[in-house]
Amino acid sequence: MDPVLVGKILNFDSDNEEWIELETLFEEVFTCSKPEDFYPVIFGLFEKFPNEDGAGVFWSALHGMEMVGNYETELLRSFRRFPNEMSRIMLIRMRNSGLTN
């Protein structure tokens, strides 16, 4: 896992409402060899901005995680720690897809 990329995501601040920078970071995450290593960082970002969708940018991360898979445990961990809009949406999408556990 690239520590520089992790730092950029963890330190992202939306003061200027410049969410497009985050889109670029997510593109890097989901083109690397192990994007699932970044799931805790992404869910931490969702927790940092609990009522946001990042001007639509968080949806890129959601779709990326759904494509790669294996995010369910970290999603539940994050939601239990700090419920937020994007995690709630992900749980609803899982339920709507037929998952029961």
Side-chain angles (χ1 to χ4, degrees):
M1 182 165 43
D2 180 351
V4 173
L5 183 55
V6 168
K8 286 180 180 180
I9 295 170
L10 286 175
N11 294 314
F12 178 80
D13 195 354
S14 69
D15 283 344
N16 300 332
E17 297 294 320
E18 293 293 327
W19 295 95
I20 196 70
E21 174 190 345
L22 191 57
E23 181 75 32
T24 302
L25 298 175
F26 287 155
E27 287 173 8
E28 287 184 53
V29 165
F30 290 104
T31 57
C32 77
S33 62
K34 290 198 66 180
E36 53 269 85
D37 289 348
F38 290 87
Y39 291 173
V41 178
I42 294 170
F43 285 115
L45 191 63
F46 291 173
E47 293 172 20
K48 182 177 178 180
F49 301 101
N51 300 312
E52 291 278 350
D53 75 349
V57 174
F58 287 177
W59 285 90
S60 296
L62 180 151
H63 292 138
M65 288 188 280
E66 286 180 341
M67 282 182 52
V68 173
N70 202 26
Y71 61 88
E72 297 84 359
T73 300
E74 192 61 39
L75 168 61
L76 289 172
R77 187 176 297 131
S78 172
F79 189 77
R80 288 178 179 142
R81 181 175 53 242
F82 194 95
N84 58 78
E85 186 64 23
M86 290 307 293
S87 293
R88 187 174 290 109
I89 289 169
M90 291 181 80
L91 288 168
I92 290 168
R93 289 168 66 93
M94 288 171 59
R95 182 192 65 207
N96 290 345
S97 72
L99 290 175
T100 57
N101 292 329

